[in-house]
Amino acid sequence: MKSNKNEIFWTVRDYNPEDRESLRHIYLESRKLAFPWLDADTLKLEDFDAAIQEEEVLVALSDHEPIGFIAWWLPDNFIHSLFIHPDFIGHGVGKSLLKACLARTGRPATLKCLQANKNALKFYASQGWEIISDGESPDGDFYLLGIE
């Protein structure tokens, strides 16, 4: 895949254990950026390990280095995580990962997005996701989004 912005090229493939350290850092830094209302001291590198436990994971790579990932719980077609390295946001990497994930899960699919994460909500809406319901979590109020 390719972005028209600054000619960034990337591929999407299955997660390999050697991706772990890079993805831990992407997950940590991306959450700090996306969730500034959370206490950054509570966010840890090890959170990534728990976030992908027993989930399917695809990784986006540029120059053989991970630049983002998507993780989902296949039995429910529930997307749990979509995080892109801050330097690669806005280049289409998230869209590619989401498309590749949906090709594997099928539809309908769901995900939760924190209501305060306006950029993510705008992104998902642009990809055809719609609000199904809302709820509360320890990190804040969220919307349950779905796509048919």
Side-chain angles (χ1 to χ4, degrees), residues 51-68:
I52 68 160
Q53 188 173 357
E54 298 185 31
E55 294 194 347
E56 304 290 324
V57 181
L58 290 173
V59 178
L61 301 150
S62 181
D63 293 326
H64 308 289
E65 292 296 322
I67 59 170

Side-chain angles (χ1 to χ4, degrees), residues 23 26 58-61 65-70 83-85 93 97:
L23 294 180
I26 290 170
L58 290 173
V59 178
L61 301 150
E65 292 296 322
I67 59 170
F69 74 97
I70 190 166
F83 289 93
I84 309 303
H85 187 288
V93 178
L97 284 166

Side-chain angles (χ1 to χ4, degrees), residues 111-122:
L111 60 84
K112 289 180 183 176
C113 185
L114 294 174
Q115 292 179 18
N117 193 348
K118 302 298 184 193
N119 290 334
L121 288 170
K122 183 178 175 182

Side-chain angles (χ1 to χ4, degrees), residues 3 5 31 47 52-53 71 75 78 106 112 125 132:
S3 167
K5 298 177 184 177
R31 288 188 307 149
D47 295 342
I52 68 160
Q53 188 173 357
F78 180 80
K112 289 180 183 176
I132 298 171

Side-chain angles (χ1 to χ4, degrees), residues 71-87:
W72 68 96
W73 177 247
L74 188 55
D76 294 331
N77 286 355
F78 180 80
I79 297 172
H80 183 235
S81 302
L82 174 57
F83 289 93
I84 309 303
H85 187 288
D87 292 345

